[in-house]
Amino acid sequence: MIPHVTIREVSLRDGLQIEAPIPLSAKLDLLDAVLATGVREIEVTAFVSPSKVPALADAAELAAELPRLRDAHDVEFSALVAGPGGAARAIAAGLTSLEYVVSAADGHSQANVGRSTSDSTHLIADIARIAHEGGATIEVIIATAWDCPFDGPTDPARVLDIASAAVEVGADRIAIADTIGTTTPGRVTRLVEALRPIVADLPLGAHFHDTRGAGLASAWAAVTAGVTRLDASVGGLGGCPFAPGASGNIATEDLVYLLRDSDVHTDLDLEAAIHAAGVARSVVGHDLPSALLRAGDRILG
Amino acid sequence: MIPHVTIREVSLRDGLQIEAPIPLSAKLDLLDAVLATGVREIEVTAFVSPSKVPALADAAELAAELPRLRDAHDVEFSALVAGPGGAARAIAAGLTSLEYVVSAADGHSQANVGRSTSDSTHLIADIARIAHEGGATIEVIIATAWDCPFDGPTDPARVLDIASAAVEVGADRIAIADTIGTTTPGRVTRLVEALRPIVADLPLGAHFHDTRGAGLASAWAAVTAGVTRLDASVGGLGGCPFAPGASGNIATEDLVYLLRDSDVHTDLDLEAAIHAAGVARSVVGHDLPSALLRAGDRILG
């Protein structure tokens, strides 16, 4: 059994990107609540087109707040980028950890970034160079790793090819994302097992949505198959504006509960995570799918 | 990997027991929709105190409808009983498959049936005799197998002791129930592994609630650990009136989706299960937690 899983909190980016824009001060309130959980990695924003994702248009302003928070907490902040321009802007804003998304399905890739999978894959080398020259690490996230809302099921070979290309040009980490929340434990196990020889010693992460109820089951299958990094969002906040039918990320507090009681360590405090989920609900002003926010922790022995 | 899991549909019993009573005709509408899924086992009611569970007070009337349905479908109907009196009434009503619940925690046992765990365990022999003399099978369901809403965590030794006693006196099947929806994959795996040498060749089932988001993950862990029978309820209908905080059963359609795509066979058709979930929502007149009822099936390759 895996003794430790690194949770990356993505509520500030994947959680908020589909929401109506909220003030920077509200984001900082959410960030404070998230930091209080003890989480060590937080994806805080994306350096992408402000017209396509207005909720994250304040990326540079938010980035300016990070140094004081990094000094006060043992945490790594990261940002998503969609191309070399965004990578350069993220570096200029002081980010030291970048994520670059490549959609394994052409349909989603075109809808998301207006490029084919092949063109996005070819950009990995440039983005990795920009990151490394700027003193940052680069993770390649392979989106629509199981299904695409436009193209249907993704041929696993397309995922393996992107992972191979990413490893080849020096990516620091690889992750696979169930962008529209369709995958299930059996499919997760098979894809992780196929990826392991390719990623070899690089950290392998996974990103699930709970659209069809199988998000946490898929996360558990990923962990038992060797994934050591999972994305999650307090409250289960989030979706994808360019993937019809996508709904909330797996909720951080539900994942922490599941892993804690399964003897898998995270760095997060469950009560603080439930509190952060409440803050997330407040800042977006609507109910969230989190189970623990309703039910609370069990009576512990 | 397990090639086949038997799903027992429990919406008519565990699903409806906490609801305001609905007419028999509405139950038959739900039963028709459930039968159309192809499911082979359906828990249709409970022979318990009508004053404690008014929603199931029509158990004998419902049982009178079963012979014509059994003739038309390849299905086994079962009923829950709480003691020898209920077992005798179920046999008299023509049931050929009974379930008897023993709560592993004294707190829940007293709240549920007004007896200690030990007293309930001692009754297994009587109830098995009544069942077998009446030509029926008897399953012993061990409730609060992980946690009790009153006593906190359940010592696994209490679960193993009940299972041993049940096997000893001729129970036909054993099941473990997460009555209040607190368990998680790691705990499921450990308990199933501890039970396997005790139940030996008897079928072992599990019953999960999704109160803390981990119901399907726990079901998947149970299947990978060797459980071959899972309870589920269309729409995720259900709770337990005597277990504060319990919420819906795992949804049949969400489970069928997860297992189908994980190459585990069930006898159920997913579209028919989603339709039955819609019928369940109509007959109870409120929203249900099912994910598939909202999101639908994925685009298949």
Side-chain angles (χ1 to χ4, degrees):
Chain A
M1 183 52 60
I2 304 288
H4 186 274
V5 164
T6 298
I7 293 178
R8 176 169 55 199
E9 175 62 39
V10 300
S11 55
L12 275 293
R13 197 280 301 172
D14 200 14
L16 291 179
Q17 71 177 9
I18 201 172
E19 301 284 337
I22 63 172
L24 182 60
S25 61
K27 291 188 182 184
L28 293 172
D29 289 345
L30 176 58
L31 188 51
D32 278 344
V34 160
L35 283 164
T37 66
V39 69
R40 301 285 179 80
E41 298 195 21
I42 306 175
E43 184 188 59
V44 287
T45 191
F47 287 83
V48 293
S49 161
S51 63
K52 286 188 77 176
V53 190
L56 305 182
D58 60 358
E61 291 85 340
L62 179 60
E65 304 286 336
L66 301 178
R68 67 174 174 86
L69 296 170
R70 194 186 287 118
D71 288 346
H73 298 272
D74 181 15
V75 63
E76 175 87 62
F77 297 112
S78 66
L80 193 90
V81 302
R89 284 192 290 133
I91 296 292
L95 270 296
T96 54
S97 178
L98 307 188
E99 293 115 23
Y100 173 56
V101 172
V102 177
S103 288
D106 278 314
H108 181 260
S109 189
Q110 290 289 356
N112 203 35
V113 293
R115 286 193 300 263
S116 68
T117 297
S118 172
D119 288 348
S120 282
T121 304
H122 284 124
L123 285 175
I124 299 173
D126 269 358
I127 293 165
R129 185 183 47 75
I130 292 166
H132 291 154
E133 288 180 2
T137 61
I138 180 73
E139 171 170 321
V140 173
I141 300 177
I142 305 170
T144 57
W146 289 274
D147 293 304
C148 170
F150 310 107
D151 299 353
T154 301
D155 181 349
R158 295 178 68 95
V159 178
L160 305 186
D161 285 349
I162 298 165
S164 296
V167 170
E168 176 77 20
V169 299
D172 299 289
R173 296 179 300 277
I174 307 290
I176 44 180
D178 180 26
T179 309
I180 55 171
T182 54
T183 197
T184 44
R187 300 176 82 197
V188 169
T189 302
R190 285 196 295 277
L191 188 58
V192 170
E193 287 177 352
L195 275 167
R196 276 164 53 188
I198 293 171
V199 302
D201 293 338
L202 292 188
L204 177 61
H207 176 108
F208 298 108
H209 288 255
D210 203 30
T211 317
R212 284 166 183 83
L216 286 174
S218 295
W220 178 248
V223 170
T224 57
V227 158
T228 58
R229 302 170 53 82
L230 290 169
D231 285 354
S233 171
V234 291
L237 192 68
C240 176
F242 311 115
S247 67
N249 287 277
I250 57 172
T252 306
E253 58 280 13
D254 297 353
L255 179 62
V256 169
Y257 176 88
L258 184 155
L259 294 176
R260 178 198 70 183
D261 279 6
S262 296
D263 295 330
V264 177
H265 299 289
T266 67
D267 302 300
L268 282 74
D269 176 76
L270 180 58
E271 287 306 317
I274 294 172
H275 175 75
V279 173
R281 182 173 53 189
S282 294
V283 301
V284 298
H286 60 74
D287 206 10
L288 293 176
S290 163
L292 267 286
L293 194 52
R294 264 173 285 274
D297 197 0
R298 69 184 178 100
I299 303 167
L300 294 174
Chain B
M1 182 52 59
I2 304 290
H4 185 274
V5 163
T6 298
I7 293 178
R8 176 168 55 199
E9 174 61 39
V10 300
S11 54
L12 276 292
R13 198 279 302 173
D14 200 15
L16 291 179
Q17 72 177 7
I18 201 173
E19 300 286 336
I22 63 171
L24 182 59
S25 62
K27 290 188 182 183
L28 293 173
D29 288 345
L30 177 57
L31 189 49
D32 279 343
V34 161
L35 283 164
T37 66
V39 69
R40 301 286 179 80
E41 299 195 21
I42 307 175
E43 185 187 58
V44 287
T45 189
F47 287 83
V48 293
S49 161
S51 63
K52 284 188 77 176
V53 190
L56 305 181
D58 61 358
E61 291 85 342
L62 179 60
E65 304 286 337
L66 300 178
R68 67 173 174 87
L69 296 169
R70 196 185 286 118
D71 288 346
H73 298 272
D74 181 16
V75 63
E76 175 86 62
F77 296 113
S78 65
L80 193 89
V81 302
R89 285 192 288 131
I91 295 293
L95 268 296
T96 55
S97 179
L98 308 187
E99 292 116 25
Y100 173 55
V101 171
V102 178
S103 287
D106 278 315
H108 181 258
S109 190
Q110 290 289 356
N112 202 35
V113 293
R115 286 192 303 264
S116 68
T117 297
S118 173
D119 288 349
S120 281
T121 303
H122 284 123
L123 284 175
I124 299 173
D126 270 359
I127 291 164
R129 184 183 48 75
I130 292 167
H132 291 155
E133 288 180 3
T137 60
I138 181 73
E139 171 169 322
V140 173
I141 300 177
I142 306 172
T144 57
W146 289 274
D147 291 304
C148 170
F150 310 107
D151 299 354
T154 302
D155 181 349
R158 295 178 67 93
V159 178
L160 304 185
D161 286 349
I162 298 165
S164 296
V167 170
E168 176 77 20
V169 299
D172 298 289
R173 297 179 298 277
I174 307 291
I176 43 179
D178 180 27
T179 309
I180 55 169
T182 54
T183 198
T184 43
R187 300 175 81 198
V188 170
T189 302
R190 286 196 294 276
L191 188 58
V192 170
E193 287 177 352
L195 275 168
R196 275 165 53 187
I198 294 171
V199 302
D201 293 339
L202 292 187
L204 178 61
H207 175 108
F208 297 108
H209 288 255
D210 203 30
T211 316
R212 284 167 183 81
L216 286 174
S218 295
W220 178 249
V223 169
T224 57
V227 158
T228 58
R229 302 169 53 80
L230 290 169
D231 285 353
S233 173
V234 292
L237 192 69
C240 176
F242 311 116
S247 68
N249 287 276
I250 56 172
T252 306
E253 59 279 12
D254 297 353
L255 179 62
V256 169
Y257 176 88
L258 184 155
L259 294 177
R260 179 199 70 183
D261 279 5
S262 296
D263 295 330
V264 178
H265 299 288
T266 68
D267 302 300
L268 283 74
D269 176 76
L270 179 57
E271 287 304 317
I274 294 172
H275 176 76
V279 173
R281 182 173 54 188
S282 294
V283 303
V284 299
H286 60 73
D287 205 12
L288 293 175
S290 163
L292 267 286
L293 195 51
R294 265 174 283 275
D297 196 1
R298 69 182 178 103
I299 303 166
L300 295 173

